[in-house]
Amino acid sequence: MYRLHFILIFLGYLLLFPIFSKQTPKTEVPSSYRVTKGDSWFGIAKKFKISPETLAKLNGRTTKENLYEREVLRIPKGEEKVSVSAESVLKEIPTYPLVQREKVVKKFSELTYDPHKGIQFQRGVSSLVRASLPGKVVHVDYMDGYDNFVILEHQNGLYSVYGNLERIQVTEGQQVKPKDRLGILVKDKGLYFQMNRQKLSLNPEKILERGI
């Protein structure tokens, strides 16, 4: 009886498999565009009927960055959609997570060959790490490559991550306000800063542009 049951399940799989194969849509690969002299984010975006921000984000850039002649840009094709940001869900203006502004040595990128879900600040004179938005400390831990790190939960499904800490000065469950002290950076690393809305990674630089 068991053998017959197994055979019926196997035959059903074989019969259904071609149907599923035909119905599964093929993944469309975005087309590309080679930049020519005089091109701009806005001009290229208009040509392909998309927003400049969407075009820049798809290529791991911002519209403030220069285009280079003959570089190849990815262009959204078909139903591919790119979420520009979630700044609109912010209820408060974010504050800078360091006491002084430091250079960003590695930028946010969603490129498949070089993803980087946060930004890496240069280790300058700032050592104190502060909360950028009000929220709750939901996780404190250690991970190779990020040293000690803190995760804060904010309103509307937003989370912020602060890595490369030598000392952590908050505890899980603690409520914090903007500019509240989270910890101290390790001596040889700058702050790693990441922001997410649920599972969507956001560009922290664009978030921080709204504040100081």
Side-chain angles (χ1 to χ4, degrees), residues 1-108:
M1 187 67 180
Y2 176 81
R3 182 180 177 81
L4 177 61
H5 182 67
F6 176 81
I7 292 172
L8 289 174
I9 293 176
F10 183 71
L11 288 175
Y13 174 79
L14 289 179
L15 290 171
L16 290 173
F17 182 77
I19 297 175
F20 291 147
S21 298
K22 291 178 183 178
Q23 291 180 344
T24 302
K26 294 182 179 179
T27 302
E28 291 190 359
V29 179
S31 59
S32 60
Y33 176 81
R34 189 176 294 276
V35 176
T36 60
K37 187 175 181 180
D39 272 337
S40 67
W41 290 110
F42 296 88
I44 298 171
K46 184 177 180 181
K47 183 181 300 185
F48 290 96
K49 299 180 180 179
I50 55 176
S51 73
E53 292 79 13
T54 296
L55 177 63
K57 184 174 178 65
L58 181 63
N59 288 276
R61 311 268 288 284
T62 70
T63 55
K64 292 183 178 180
E65 296 179 59
N66 292 327
L67 289 170
Y68 300 97
E69 190 174 353
R70 297 192 63 76
E71 75 168 299
V72 178
L73 298 178
R74 293 177 64 207
I75 304 296
K77 186 177 180 182
E79 296 301 316
E80 182 180 15
K81 296 180 180 179
V82 179
S83 175
V84 175
S85 66
E87 291 98 327
S88 59
V89 303
L90 293 174
K91 298 299 182 182
E92 297 191 31
I93 296 176
T95 60
Y96 203 68
L98 297 167
V99 176
Q100 298 188 35
R101 288 189 174 273
E102 304 291 354
K103 180 180 179 181
V104 175
V105 293
K106 187 159 187 180
K107 291 181 174 290
F108 172 84

Side-chain angles (χ1 to χ4, degrees), residues 176-192:
V176 295
K177 302 185 297 296
K179 296 187 179 182
D180 275 359
R181 181 188 297 250
L182 299 179
I184 303 295
L185 287 171
V186 296
K187 295 180 180 180
D188 59 345
K189 286 185 180 180
L191 174 67
Y192 173 79

Side-chain angles (χ1 to χ4, degrees), residues 87-90 92-94 205-212:
E87 291 98 327
S88 59
V89 303
L90 293 174
E92 297 191 31
I93 296 176
E205 283 191 274
K206 291 186 70 66
I207 298 287
L208 292 175
E209 282 175 5
R210 297 191 60 191
I212 297 176

Side-chain angles (χ1 to χ4, degrees), residues 2 30 39 48 50 74 88-89 100 127 129 132 137 140 142 147 150 153 155-156 162 166 171-172 192 209:
Y2 176 81
D39 272 337
F48 290 96
I50 55 176
R74 293 177 64 207
S88 59
V89 303
Q100 298 188 35
S127 60
V129 177
S132 184
V137 180
V140 172
Y142 175 90
D147 293 288
V150 173
E153 180 181 23
Q155 292 183 342
N156 298 318
Y162 308 76
E166 182 178 35
T171 57
E172 291 184 4
Y192 173 79
E209 282 175 5

Side-chain angles (χ1 to χ4, degrees), residues 156-173:
N156 298 318
L158 285 174
Y159 293 85
S160 56
V161 182
Y162 308 76
N164 296 335
L165 303 180
E166 182 178 35
R167 296 201 311 272
I168 292 177
Q169 299 173 310
V170 289
T171 57
E172 291 184 4

